[in-house]
């Protein structure tokens, strides 16, 4: 028997399999589960458990940004349209969202 708390989490949690590695993407705002208005700008945290990740990555997700705003933020040495697998996974739920890594190097 699965407890109701495990069937209906109080905080948003996603188990991910990215590039053959398992990881956790989670939020600390319970409104993401019930209030679509909370999905404007919000924070998620990512932890892979791999040795190369020394701390949990703090991500800021903006679901109402525009593609031309993201292009302006890219530097001249950016890899173009290549995106980390985690960003692509996030965009399966929030299409077109921009992801800020807040100083953490993006994982590929």
């Amino acid at each position: 028997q699965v407890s109701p708390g495990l069937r209906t989490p109080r905080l948003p949690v996603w188990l991910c399999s990215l590039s053959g590695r398992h990881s956790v993407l989670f939020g600390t705002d319970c409104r993401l589960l019930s209030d679509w208005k909370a999905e404007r700008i919000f924070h998620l945290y990512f932890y892979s458990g791999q040795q190369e990740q020394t701390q949990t990555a703090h991500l800021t997700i903006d679901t109402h940004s525009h593609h031309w705003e993201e292009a302006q933020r890219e530097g001249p040495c950016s890899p173009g349209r290549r995106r980390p697998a985690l960003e692509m996974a996030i965009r399966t739920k929030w299409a077109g969202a921009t992801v800020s890594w807040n100083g953490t190097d993006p994982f590929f």
Side-chain angles (χ1 to χ4, degrees):
Q1 182 77 16
V2 177
S3 75
L6 291 176
R7 287 182 290 189
T8 308
R10 293 189 178 147
L11 294 172
V13 176
W14 295 272
L15 299 176
C16 306
S17 177
L18 302 168
S19 303
R21 296 181 175 181
H22 293 92
S23 53
V24 158
L25 181 67
F26 62 96
T28 57
D29 186 355
C30 63
R31 295 178 307 145
L32 281 175
L33 295 172
S34 60
D35 184 5
W36 62 270
K37 294 175 192 170
E39 293 184 359
R40 167 66 171 93
I41 295 177
F42 56 95
H43 303 279
L44 294 177
Y45 301 88
F46 178 74
Y47 184 71
S48 68
Q50 302 298 317
Q51 286 182 329
E52 61 268 12
Q53 186 179 2
T54 59
Q55 62 184 7
T56 302
H58 171 215
L59 309 172
T60 302
I61 314 301
D62 184 350
T63 60
H64 286 76
S65 62
H66 300 95
H67 66 279
W68 57 84
E69 292 171 347
E70 183 179 20
Q72 289 175 353
R73 286 190 292 237
E74 290 182 355
C77 298
S78 69
R81 295 193 178 267
R82 186 173 177 211
R83 298 284 179 237
L86 178 59
E87 285 187 29
M88 300 309 292
I90 289 170
R91 289 181 178 148
T92 63
K93 175 144 179 67
W94 296 285
T98 58
V99 178
S100 170
W101 288 76
N102 299 311
T104 302
D105 288 332
F107 308 153
F108 281 92

